[in-house]
Amino acid sequence: MNLDNISRINLIIQTVVIAAIIIHTSMIIHRSGKRSMRAAYFIFGCISYLMSNLYWVVYVFIEPDNRMPFAANEFGESATFLLFSMVLLLTFQGVFADTRREVVLTVIFTAANVALWIAWSGEWVQDIVGGILFGYYLCAVVRSMKQAGVMSRREWTGVGIGAYLVVVLQGIIFFVPAEPAGFLDKAVYCLLYAGILFFFRKTIRAFRRNSGADEQLCFSFAGNAWLVVSLYMSAEPIYQVTNFLITLMLLFMMKAVENKVGEA
């Protein structure tokens, strides 16, 4: 099976899973009789994601060799980030914690990512606008995790160093010959997947230990955010693996939202 077919199958699987998540979460709200704005924002975020994927499905099958314009998929992804952000911001709106340092560092990290995207694609407007909205999502994730107190100081340090190393190494790759660039590229993947394993481990542990919906929300949404960062930095075939892992993390996000509705 060639890579194009794997990509199509992966996209269709993700689209079906997102549709199932929308239906399941809607049924949970209906059965519980509770009006949860968090769940509503999550559902609309998934609908936006679904619209983005449906656009991709049509594009891949009709005009796979043409340049993807700034169109429905970009708007869908941006809407997803904003709506997912609202799930977290609503959950922790009454919790006080000084998150200024973390937010500033996240903004710098986002700016570095946007610079890399522009260097790779040359799409200034698309990458800047999309980067601002994605950065808002990252800030919401970081702020919520700090407010919930779900990570130790050592874990914050490790994640922060890993995140900054990723963008620094990606930047260095532009200025070194092919052989060391290949080595650095592998090092970046190791760092990205170390982060992916960390967030999957913390998410699964939060569910297994029944640590509460707040912690489950934090780690599943943080895992999603890290996976999206990793996706944007991945080439084929790693891109397809990362995208499949995003599909799996969406299921954890759904369950965390469901548990939060149950707590209300």
Side-chain angles (χ1 to χ4, degrees):
M1 185 180 295
N2 63 40
L3 193 58
D4 287 340
N5 288 334
I6 292 173
S7 175
R8 293 187 180 102
I9 292 171
N10 200 10
L11 182 59
I12 291 170
I13 290 172
Q14 186 178 80
T15 302
V16 171
V17 169
I18 294 171
I21 288 172
I22 294 167
I23 294 169
H24 176 78
T25 308
S26 300
M27 291 175 63
I28 291 297
I29 295 175
H30 177 71
R31 289 172 183 171
S32 68
K34 299 175 181 177
R35 294 183 178 180
S36 171
M37 287 305 299
R38 299 179 190 88
Y41 280 123
F42 179 69
I43 290 170
F44 282 112
C46 288
I47 290 172
S48 299
Y49 206 157
L50 180 65
M51 294 299 101
S52 175
N53 272 20
L54 289 174
Y55 182 88
W56 264 107
V57 169
V58 173
Y59 173 81
V60 165
F61 281 97
I62 296 178
E63 297 189 63
D65 298 322
N66 290 340
R67 176 180 171 274
M68 168 68 78
F70 185 86
N73 70 299
E74 299 294 339
F75 293 114
E77 287 179 6
S78 297
T80 299
F81 297 144
L82 290 177
L83 290 160
F84 282 177
S85 298
M86 289 306 301
V87 176
L88 295 172
L89 295 176
L90 276 176
T91 300
F92 299 101
Q93 61 183 339
V95 181
F96 174 78
D98 187 359
T99 60
R100 287 174 295 181
R101 179 179 62 180
E102 288 78 12
V103 168
V104 168
L105 291 173
T106 303
V107 169
I108 296 171
F109 174 73
T110 303
N113 274 269
V114 171
L116 289 170
W117 301 344
I118 292 171
W120 290 327
S121 69
E123 299 283 355
W124 283 78
V125 175
Q126 175 178 312
D127 292 335
I128 291 173
V129 173
I132 290 171
L133 298 174
F134 182 56
Y136 184 81
Y137 178 42
L138 291 179
C139 288
V141 167
V142 169
R143 182 173 179 269
S144 299
M145 294 188 74
K146 182 65 182 293
Q147 289 174 314
V150 294
M151 288 209 308
S152 67
R153 185 173 182 177
R154 184 174 66 177
E155 288 171 335
W156 275 109
T157 302
V159 171
I161 291 173
Y164 271 82
L165 272 176
V166 163
V167 292
V168 168
L169 292 178
Q170 288 282 25
I172 293 173
I173 288 174
F174 285 101
F175 304 102
V176 297
E179 187 173 344
F183 172 79
L184 292 176
D185 195 45
K186 292 180 176 64
V188 168
Y189 281 127
C190 288
L191 287 169
L192 290 172
Y193 268 78
I196 290 170
L197 290 173
F198 171 79
F199 284 112
F200 263 107
R201 178 173 171 270
K202 297 293 283 190
T203 302
I204 292 169
R205 178 177 291 185
F207 281 98
R208 291 184 63 182
R209 294 185 175 181
N210 196 24
S211 302
D214 287 353
E215 185 170 335
Q216 295 163 4
L217 278 170
C218 284
F219 281 120
S220 59
F221 277 70
N224 171 262
W226 184 273
L227 279 161
V228 174
V229 170
S230 303
L231 185 75
Y232 292 164
M233 290 190 177
S234 297
E236 301 287 7
I238 304 299
Y239 183 96
Q240 297 305 324
V241 177
T242 308
N243 205 25
F244 180 74
L245 293 175
I246 287 177
T247 306
L248 294 182
M249 188 59 80
L250 285 168
L251 294 171
F252 285 108
M253 295 166 71
M254 175 196 71
K255 186 62 178 175
V257 171
E258 180 182 335
N259 290 345
K260 190 62 183 178
V261 172
E263 283 184 0

